[in-house]
Amino acid sequence: MDTAKYSNVLLNAFNKLSQLYYEMKKYNKVIETGKLWAKATPGKYFPYLWTAYAYFGLSDTEKACANLRKVIKIDPKNVNARKYLKENCGK
């Protein structure tokens, strides 16, 4: 599949799926979706942000913070990731 051609469609689909799983508190499904999403759209920060939220939901701060750091590495100006990192990861 030519992921570049369908990048907006993939972004919207993975984002909605992650949001639905998160709202249902199916955090492991958010993480699974995030892994597929990251593979399908390399260089995008969105899957790591959702994965971080899911790990926070599972009370796994270490993995959540690691994913927030990935977000900031990809998008250094990401306000949400910086906020969550500062508030929850001591950085």
Side-chain angles (χ1 to χ4, degrees):
M1 176 196 281
D2 182 5
T3 57
K5 182 177 176 182
Y6 299 105
S7 66
N8 283 339
V9 174
L10 285 171
L11 171 69
N12 291 331
F14 278 122
N15 189 56
K16 192 61 172 175
L17 188 58
S18 296
Q19 180 183 4
L20 290 170
Y21 282 142
Y22 185 83
E23 289 173 359
M24 293 186 302
K25 297 184 180 188
K26 294 187 175 199
Y27 303 124
N28 287 320
K29 292 297 241 176
V30 176
I31 293 164
E32 288 176 28
T33 302
K35 288 177 183 178
L36 290 171
W37 189 357
K39 191 174 183 178
T41 59
K44 303 291 184 189
Y45 73 84
F46 303 105
Y48 301 106
L49 189 59
W50 274 110
T51 301
Y53 294 155
Y55 278 122
F56 279 128
L58 293 171
S59 299
D60 191 336
T61 304
E62 185 177 327
K63 287 182 180 176
C65 293
N67 276 277
L68 288 174
R69 288 185 191 95
K70 288 179 185 178
V71 171
I72 292 170
K73 185 175 181 180
I74 295 167
D75 180 13
K77 295 180 182 179
N78 190 294
V79 176
N80 288 333
R82 289 194 170 280
K83 178 184 172 202
Y84 273 89
L85 194 67
K86 184 177 181 181
E87 291 175 356
N88 299 288
C89 306
K91 303 238 175 172

